[in-house]
Amino acid sequence: MTKTVTNPPSTSHRHSAVLFFHHFFFFFFIRTPKLKSLTTKPHLLLLLLLCHSFIGSSNALIRTQKKKKQKKKKMGEIPSTGALVPAVKPEPSPESAAVEPSLPPEPQFQTTVDEDVIMEDADKDMLCPICMQIIKDAFLTACGHSFCYMCIVTHLHNKSNCPCCSHYLTVSHMFPNFLLDKILQFLKKNSSSQMANTASPFQNLRQALEQIQSDLQYIKEDINSVERHKIELYRGKERFLVRTRILVNDPLATNSWPSSIDEHGSAIINGAHSVPVVQMGSGNSQSQKPDVMPQTKFQGLQRKDAYSGLDLQSVTPSAMVVARKRQIYSQFNELQKCYLRKRRYWNRQSHKWEERDRNTVSREGYNLGLEDFQSVLSTFTRYSRLRVLAELRHGDLFQSPNIVSSIEFDRDDELFATAGVSRRIKVFEFSSVVNEPEDVHCPIVEMPTRSKLSCLSWNKNMKNHIASSDYEGIVTVWDITTCQSVMEYEEHEKRAWSVDFSHTEPSMLVSGSDDCKVKIWCTKQEASVLTIDMKANICSVQYNPGSSIYVAVGSADHHTHYYDLRNISQPLHTFSGTSKAVSYVKFLSNYELASASTDSTLRLWDVKENLPLGTYRGHTNEKNFVGLSVNSEYIACGSETNEVYVYHKAISKPMARYKIDSSELNENEDGSGSYFISAVSWKRDSPTMLAANSQGTLKVLVLAA
């Protein structure tokens, strides 16, 4: 049988790529200093990664070809065995973890299962009668037929009958078919293991070779896209310079400045008159006019830049380039894996969209996978450190003992509340803490409590309501305007560790306790609405921000559970992989859930597809609650080394960290080396955060270049 093997790129080809990259990088960063003011640095860093990935993939292709030749000679000697299934070991108790089970492999190495394999084994009852594909999100009608949820809902928009039997049907006559969903998941897992067990070494080698060839094709396409965009930026710069000279020579033309600049020129003008920093959804990105500002306005601008992590006086464009390059080199391998992962994912998505009207090219001419990676590269290299904006000293703020268990911002990020073992809830005004001297930081509200507090949660709709959970198992809703409790719930039998208000239903809240129970409460009634009995202590609970029917639970059984409150007999998903208790769960979005564990790892999960997305290591957390806070791009947590760590959600290693030195604390205190970070909280859509440690010291930190 004739086999066709694609020849690998030659050594001269790879050498040419190296020379191209070095000449290109030298030209932009050394020979052309004027370009340092442009906003194109993410594109240059992107090209650096692509060239390196091209060379690395070429080397991998050559090594694979050599291995293939050796295997052909020894094919008769190689036993045809599949992947070994690891032995199932009993899980250790939460108190003892002397021997920790091995963690699962990283998600990027998981293989995807072709749905065609499942359909070969599928019964007709497992196919949706409308789309004739494997049923997804199965719903059962009153007449006994199952459909994909989206298929049947779309059908009922046009007709009010069952597509199979024409029986009268409305949305109220449909129910989730959880059993069928579980069967389909089981079939998918079995198909995956069957494929792994039946694949021969030659088939595995061929698949690896095809993947490398596909990666090489991606890299070639993306290098061409980056080169084209670079040429467009050059042309835009030339147009800008020509128009600038015209305006300088003709002062009367300044009145027509906005109308005389085309789209490309306008983008470059905005980048030339302000330092290129992309804000996360805030209103700080408005461009300033090129005239001279009064002194008060300049001070206001400096204050805004302090909040955003940008120091205009100390950070120059060249310094920002150096900082970004340093970030790139420190995480080069991680960024390379991220690029290939994004590119492969969007390539698979494009195949699903072949029958639809789709546009897989962005406005810059990039493939969606490259555009997604560009966003990661930009947000990852934007910051490299944490710096202090303000501090609340423990002597002025707390009484001994001083552990701060929880910090929470209110709905508008104007106020924040702290609570801990001092038996007091203190509410501060954020702007006063940042702008006023340290010796005048006083809470605007202070409410005493009967017991030590473990967690706080602001109502997302009612600004004056905040909930707390305490060591006696009591969940309390407070009104900060009257400093009185509104509701008290005392059904928990042991210490309550966590409480959270629903984003979509302001009257609903959830709590978790050491009594192994999750309880749903409503501020309109005294008794609990719902109770979920679990097998281990509950460490953390949180509502999905997009729905009041989904709740995530972190448990001492080493698992993260995701419940649909419409069916609490079993969790909708159970995420495993951690070797110790799950201490925190936080949602980055409606589909992304972060969890923290006392095995010193953070993990990111896709609650929609039931998949692991990433694992993060670097901090130390073996026994204490060290805090966890997230926003759309970044994950922050504490460490038992008295440090705050920040991770980008696409990179597994820390991107920034800050240590509260023992010299900053009271030197007369004993055991200064045993302090740990106990709580962290992001200011929403901002690079600013609050962090507190076990000594009661609270700092306002901001990500900086």
Side-chain angles (χ1 to χ4, degrees):
M1 184 176 72
T2 304
K3 297 184 178 64
T4 304
V5 179
T6 304
N7 293 326
S10 63
T11 305
S12 60
H13 189 184
R14 290 184 286 109
H15 183 65
S16 300
V18 176
L19 292 179
F20 161 75
F21 161 68
H22 282 293
H23 284 302
F24 173 78
F25 194 76
F26 174 79
F27 175 76
F28 269 88
F29 284 96
I30 300 177
R31 296 291 300 277
T32 325
K34 293 183 179 180
L35 291 178
K36 293 179 181 179
S37 64
L38 292 178
T39 59
T40 58
K41 291 301 176 287
H43 306 286
L44 304 182
L45 298 175
L46 180 60
L47 188 59
L48 183 154
L49 283 174
L50 295 181
C51 292
H52 187 273
S53 298
F54 177 83
I55 297 166
S57 298
S58 300
N59 289 332
L61 183 60
I62 292 174
R63 290 194 299 268
T64 305
Q65 292 283 5
K66 291 181 179 179
K67 291 180 180 179
K68 182 178 178 181
K69 293 180 180 179
Q70 295 174 358
K71 284 182 178 288
K72 288 173 64 178
K73 296 179 180 179
K74 301 179 180 180
M75 187 61 69
E77 303 174 6
I78 301 177
S80 178
T81 58
L84 298 177
V85 179
V88 179
K89 299 180 180 180
E91 294 184 350
S93 62
E95 292 78 16
S96 64
V99 181
E100 299 181 0
S102 59
L103 300 179
E106 295 293 330
Q108 56 263 30
F109 298 107
Q110 292 182 348
T111 58
T112 58
V113 182
D114 191 347
E115 290 191 359
D116 293 339
V117 177
I118 302 177
M119 292 184 66
E120 290 179 359
D121 300 330
D123 188 81
K124 291 182 179 180
D125 292 335
M126 298 181 182
L127 302 181
C128 174
I130 298 177
C131 65
M132 297 307 297
Q133 301 295 322
I134 297 293
I135 294 179
K136 187 175 183 180
D137 298 329
F139 265 68
L140 181 68
T141 65
C143 52
H145 300 102
S146 293
F147 304 89
C148 299
Y149 176 74
M150 290 305 300
C151 292
I152 188 61
V153 168
T154 303
H155 171 79
L156 292 179
H157 283 321
N158 301 320
K159 297 182 180 180
S160 298
N161 62 355
C162 174
C164 294
C165 64
S166 298
H167 189 275
Y168 177 73
L169 183 66
T170 63
V171 176
S172 61
H173 298 152
M174 299 190 310
F175 311 94
N177 194 339
F178 295 107
L179 178 60
L180 182 56
D181 280 336
K182 292 293 182 182
I183 293 174
L184 292 175
Q185 290 178 10
F186 177 78
L187 179 60
K188 185 174 182 179
K189 291 180 181 179
N190 283 356
S191 299
S192 176
S193 60
Q194 183 179 3
M195 289 176 62
N197 291 332
T198 57
S200 66
F202 176 76
Q203 289 174 330
N204 292 332
L205 182 62
R206 184 180 63 181
Q207 292 175 359
L209 185 61
E210 291 174 351
Q211 184 65 71
I212 293 174
Q213 290 174 338
S214 298
D215 292 343
L216 284 172
Q217 184 63 32
Y218 299 155
I219 294 169
K220 291 177 182 177
E221 293 174 359
D222 292 343
I223 288 177
N224 292 335
S225 299
V226 174
E227 287 290 342
R228 286 195 301 270
H229 187 59
K230 183 191 72 173
I231 295 173
E232 293 176 2
L233 289 173
Y234 261 121
R235 292 173 179 171
K237 179 196 172 189
E238 293 299 326
R239 288 194 295 269
F240 165 68
L241 293 177
V242 170
R243 285 171 171 78
T244 302
R245 286 193 291 268
I246 294 175
L247 293 172
V248 170
N249 296 331
D250 185 8
L252 297 178
T254 56
N255 295 330
S256 60
W257 177 287
S259 61
S260 63
I261 304 299
D262 60 9
E263 181 180 355
H264 295 284
S266 177
I268 295 179
I269 286 174
N270 291 336
H273 285 278
S274 62
V275 180
V277 174
V278 182
Q279 296 296 334
M280 293 182 290
S282 64
N284 296 342
S285 60
Q286 298 175 354
S287 59
Q288 301 292 334
K289 295 183 179 180
D291 57 352
V292 179
M293 294 183 296
Q295 182 67 17
T296 56
K297 183 177 289 187
F298 180 73
Q299 292 176 354
L301 179 61
Q302 283 184 317
R303 182 171 297 176
K304 286 185 179 181
D305 290 330
Y307 289 169
S308 65
L310 176 63
D311 190 347
L312 291 178
Q313 295 180 345
S314 62
V315 179
T316 62
S318 59
M320 292 182 67
V321 171
V322 172
R324 287 192 166 195
K325 288 169 60 179
R326 189 182 300 114
Q327 282 284 85
I328 289 288
Y329 293 142
S330 65
Q331 303 285 357
F332 210 101
N333 292 334
E334 293 294 327
L335 287 169
Q336 186 173 337
K337 294 176 183 177
C338 177
Y339 163 73
L340 293 175
R341 191 165 61 246
K342 297 286 186 183
R343 204 57 168 86
R344 293 168 183 171
Y345 169 79
W346 284 106
N347 184 62
R348 291 194 300 269
Q349 292 297 112
S350 65
H351 291 316
K352 297 179 181 179
W353 299 339
E354 284 181 354
E355 297 180 357
R356 307 177 186 176
D357 294 332
R358 61 184 178 89
N359 181 17
T360 59
V361 178
S362 68
R363 60 181 178 83
E364 295 176 340
Y366 292 169
N367 178 278
L368 290 179
L370 181 58
E371 184 180 26
D372 192 3
F373 176 70
Q374 181 194 9
S375 175
V376 171
L377 187 63
S378 176
T379 53
F380 176 74
T381 58
R382 188 183 307 159
Y383 308 114
S384 59
R385 61 190 177 93
L386 286 165
R387 64 183 181 90
V388 180
L389 285 184
E391 178 178 350
L392 289 172
R393 294 199 175 273
H394 64 88
D396 300 329
L397 178 60
F398 297 101
Q399 301 174 355
S400 181
N402 302 306
I403 296 177
V404 180
S405 302
S406 182
I407 310 172
E408 286 290 321
F409 277 99
D410 75 335
R411 177 191 65 188
D412 302 319
D413 287 337
E414 297 173 350
L415 308 175
F416 68 88
T418 64
V421 299
S422 62
R423 295 183 173 87
R424 290 178 179 273
I425 298 175
K426 298 188 178 184
V427 180
F428 296 85
E429 189 176 16
F430 179 75
S431 60
S432 299
V433 171
V434 172
N435 299 322
E436 294 179 359
E438 294 181 7
D439 55 353
V440 296
H441 293 158
C442 296
I444 61 174
V445 175
E446 186 169 349
M447 298 180 293
T449 62
R450 293 180 295 178
S451 178
K452 299 176 182 179
L453 299 177
S454 57
C455 184
L456 295 175
S457 176
W458 284 90
N459 191 303
K460 279 69 176 179
N461 294 274
M462 302 177 66
K463 186 179 178 70
N464 59 323
H465 281 188
I466 187 170
S468 67
S469 58
D470 65 28
Y471 280 35
E472 293 181 0
I474 301 174
V475 176
T476 309
V477 179
W478 303 86
D479 188 333
I480 64 170
T481 57
T482 62
C483 297
Q484 299 293 325
S485 62
V486 178
M487 296 291 292
E488 286 190 359
Y489 306 103
E490 302 182 2
E491 292 185 17
H492 282 302
E493 301 171 0
K494 295 182 180 180
R495 175 168 42 191
W497 281 117
S498 181
V499 63
D500 184 54
F501 266 111
S502 169
H503 288 250
T504 57
E505 292 290 341
S507 62
M508 304 300 295
L509 62 159
V510 60
S511 63
S513 167
D514 273 343
D515 61 5
C516 307
K517 294 180 181 179
V518 176
K519 287 186 176 289
I520 307 298
W521 312 93
C522 179
T523 56
K524 300 177 182 179
Q525 66 182 57
E526 296 182 357
S528 59
V529 177
L530 201 64
T531 299
I532 303 175
D533 291 310
M534 302 186 66
K535 298 179 180 179
N537 302 30
I538 310 302
C539 301
S540 181
V541 292
Q542 191 174 42
Y543 271 107
N544 186 307
S547 173
S548 60
I549 63 173
Y550 296 111
V551 170
V553 180
S555 174
D557 65 358
H558 308 176
H559 296 92
T560 301
H561 306 272
Y562 188 59
Y563 277 93
D564 184 336
L565 298 182
R566 297 169 298 182
N567 178 23
I568 60 173
S569 60
Q570 59 183 358
L572 185 62
H573 303 309
T574 298
F575 303 108
S576 58
T578 56
S579 56
K580 290 187 178 181
V582 177
S583 52
Y584 294 96
V585 287
K586 298 286 184 180
F587 280 94
L588 283 76
S589 66
N590 294 348
Y591 306 120
E592 295 172 306
L593 174 67
S595 65
S597 172
T598 50
D599 63 1
S600 298
T601 65
L602 306 179
R603 294 174 187 268
L604 187 63
W605 314 94
D606 186 331
V607 298
K608 183 180 180 181
E609 301 294 337
N610 191 20
L611 292 173
L613 297 178
T615 303
Y616 311 90
R617 294 182 175 89
H619 63 286
T620 301
N621 181 207
E622 297 179 354
K623 59 181 181 179
N624 296 302
F625 286 87
V626 296
L628 177 69
S629 185
V630 300
N631 59 28
S632 59
E633 296 290 337
Y634 305 110
I635 305 173
C637 70
S639 174
E640 290 169 359
T641 57
N642 210 22
E643 294 175 287
V644 179
Y645 280 77
V646 177
Y647 298 86
H648 190 285
K649 68 178 183 180
I651 307 298
S652 64
K653 296 181 180 179
M655 61 171 284
R657 64 182 181 177
Y658 176 83
K659 181 178 179 63
I660 300 179
D661 294 329
S662 58
S663 59
E664 300 179 22
L665 306 174
N666 192 342
E667 296 180 356
N668 297 326
E669 295 289 340
D670 296 332
S672 59
S674 61
Y675 299 141
F676 58 91
I677 302 298
S678 56
V680 292
S681 180
W682 282 109
K683 191 170 183 286
R684 188 167 43 250
D685 297 328
S686 167
T688 306
M689 73 164 68
L690 297 172
N693 74 345
S694 55
Q695 183 63 13
T697 301
L698 190 148
K699 288 181 179 286
V700 183
L701 303 174
V702 62
L703 287 169

